[in-house]
Amino acid sequence: GDRQLEVKNNHGWCPTFNNLTNLTLDRWCMHADLYAMIVFLQNSPNLKKLTLKLNEPRYHNEVVSAVIGELEDRSFTCEQLEIVEIICSKGNELLLLGLNQFLLEESGIRPDQMRVSHQN
């Protein structure tokens, strides 16, 4: 099983980052439901650049570390957001597909704002 930090209807763990303009998130924020990533985005109103590193999953005692939770509202508006850079390492193609779908279809990010690069 996965090692999971579950946060129930309590966004107190994530303050609002008013001054944050450049955010880099690692694989642990991008579990299947993208929970942690969305909460960060919901709390970063002035974000200009988002970098997502789809690297090797982190293991702790042989289980994947991840932050999961239930979100009633998965929407976020980062009105200042100019670019989303995704760095995808081998083996994360499915996650990349899900991420693309979420960002483009659910979040209104335009294709010309996305940069995807692949690493071996």
Side-chain angles (χ1 to χ4, degrees), residues 1-5 27-28 30-31 56-68:
D2 289 354
R3 173 193 175 94
Q4 297 173 334
L5 168 65
R27 167 77 191 257
W28 68 272
M30 288 168 280
H31 205 58
E56 291 300 308
R58 290 193 183 166
Y59 289 93
H60 183 83
N61 297 336
E62 296 183 13
V63 289
V64 177
S65 299
V67 180
I68 61 165

Side-chain angles (χ1 to χ4, degrees), residues 24-30 51-56 58:
T24 298
L25 294 177
D26 215 323
R27 167 77 191 257
W28 68 272
C29 285
M30 288 168 280
T51 304
L52 303 173
K53 291 187 174 175
L54 309 188
N55 44 11
E56 291 300 308
R58 290 193 183 166

Side-chain angles (χ1 to χ4, degrees), residues 32-89:
D33 62 359
L34 305 177
Y35 171 78
M37 182 189 86
I38 295 168
V39 174
F40 276 119
L41 292 173
Q42 286 174 340
N43 288 284
S44 307
N46 296 307
L47 194 64
K48 286 191 163 73
K49 182 179 181 192
L50 173 65
T51 304
L52 303 173
K53 291 187 174 175
L54 309 188
N55 44 11
E56 291 300 308
R58 290 193 183 166
Y59 289 93
H60 183 83
N61 297 336
E62 296 183 13
V63 289
V64 177
S65 299
V67 180
I68 61 165
E70 292 295 319
L71 272 186
E72 282 173 26
D73 180 15
R74 286 171 60 89
S75 65
F76 61 89
T77 48
C78 293
E79 290 172 6
Q80 313 292 323
L81 191 61
E82 293 164 7
I83 183 164
V84 178
E85 186 173 356
I86 301 175
I87 302 161
C88 183
S89 63

